[in-house]
Amino acid sequence: MAKSKVPKRPTRDEFVLEELGNQLTEAFQEDSEIVLTVWGREETVRGQIDLMDSRTGKVHIRQDGAITKVPFMDIMSVDYPRD
């Protein structure tokens, strides 16, 4: 029986990562609501950035009083809600 392989997170170049970082920083400074596409999750993560923790490499997203901690390296894209 073959071992099921966990798909590896896609690698992105420094330019893409820097652009994501810039988008997150801007949304954080403006307290904008964002929608994150996160690798390994079917659902997007929506809310406002509560904290960008450089020590753990996680972005804390606040929505309805709850905090979701998303590893920066798992964030595939940053969008703004369309509604």
Side-chain angles (χ1 to χ4, degrees):
M1 208 159 157
K3 250 169 85 177
S4 64
K5 285 182 69 152
V6 176
K8 283 182 62 170
R9 180 197 307 129
T11 54
R12 287 147 313 149
D13 64 25
E14 286 178 38
F15 176 77
V16 173
L17 294 173
E18 186 177 332
E19 185 59 34
L20 279 173
N22 291 343
Q23 289 176 308
L24 290 169
T25 300
E26 189 175 307
F28 181 51
Q29 290 169 344
E30 296 175 359
D31 205 27
S32 303
E33 185 176 29
I34 55 171
V35 178
L36 299 179
T37 303
V38 182
W39 178 83
R41 287 189 193 211
E42 287 183 25
E43 300 282 316
T44 56
V45 177
R46 180 174 176 158
Q48 288 156 305
I49 299 173
D50 191 61
L51 176 70
M52 290 172 52
D53 191 335
S54 57
R55 191 178 54 81
T56 63
K58 294 190 177 176
V59 179
H60 298 199
I61 305 294
R62 179 181 72 250
Q63 183 187 30
D64 301 329
I67 300 287
T68 304
K69 297 177 183 178
V70 180
F72 172 72
M73 293 304 287
D74 287 353
I75 297 172
M76 303 312 290
S77 70
V78 178
D79 295 296
Y80 291 91
R82 290 180 194 30
D83 53 16

